[in-house]
Amino acid sequence: MRMHSSAAPRGPSAKPATRAAATEKSTRKRNRPGDNERRVGTARKTSFNHAPWFAIMLIAPTCGTGCQRSVGDATTVAVGPAFAPAATPETPPPEVRFTDITESAGIHFQHTSGAFGKRLLPETLGSGVAFFDYDNDGDQDLLLVNACHWPGFELKDQPAPTLALYRNRSDASFDDVTAATGLAVTKYGMGVTVGDYDNDSWPDFFITGLGGNRLFHNESGEQGGRRFVDRTEQAGVAGPGRWPTAIGDAFLAIDTPINFSK
């Protein structure tokens, strides 16, 4: 017995119609209201098939492992509560206060850069400071390094700037002992370091600067005090630099480097 069917033949000629029908059916299925939003368990999932890429980039990093899945040809990203940063307890400021006691401590040092409008590089550098117990009385004294004016541009109505040494009086005040200790020295200083270079138990110091270095040896002074003697040449540590002898416009016309001694 032969059975007859009214179904379309299953030959190659039927494929285009079948594909078109499947595409139309799939389109209707995707476009049904509510299909873009689904609930899986208690997590809400929203399709980002038509969302801008930047939205996916912003939201995706907030998801945990496995929160991104592929459903058909649409990529869905689980959206949940944002991860709030852990609260950081406020740290109270330390109970420390600093009070400017420069004037009351008797320190009247003023640094000189030598600037006179030409904006020379060394004017932006230096100088230095050192706390050290130069007389071994148990209190830290204060050494301040200074610079100076350029050759030919000194201030005629003011004394030349010098180093400054202040002795600690053990009562939050200092005495200016610069002249008494032999340190009324003018140079374009850049920095200072302290050390007992000859192991005699008294601290000495070394100053670097433009135009040459200086080594000062701590020695016994008058009436049992201490003083500093320049031992630079004896120790051979002056460096290659020398302070220029040209002054004024001739100084400004110098076209060779003035060494920052090593």
Side-chain angles (χ1 to χ4, degrees), residues 25-77:
K25 181 177 179 181
S26 175
T27 301
R28 290 199 303 271
K29 184 175 180 180
R30 289 198 301 268
N31 292 337
R32 287 184 300 178
D35 274 3
N36 283 341
E37 296 184 359
R38 300 189 180 102
R39 293 182 177 275
V40 178
T42 59
R44 182 178 179 83
K45 295 189 175 182
T46 303
S47 172
F48 285 87
N49 192 38
H50 304 290
W53 283 106
F54 75 87
I56 297 176
M57 293 174 66
L58 290 174
I59 296 176
T62 64
C63 302
T65 304
C67 70
Q68 186 173 2
R69 298 173 183 165
S70 177
V71 180
D73 60 347
T75 300
T76 61
V77 180

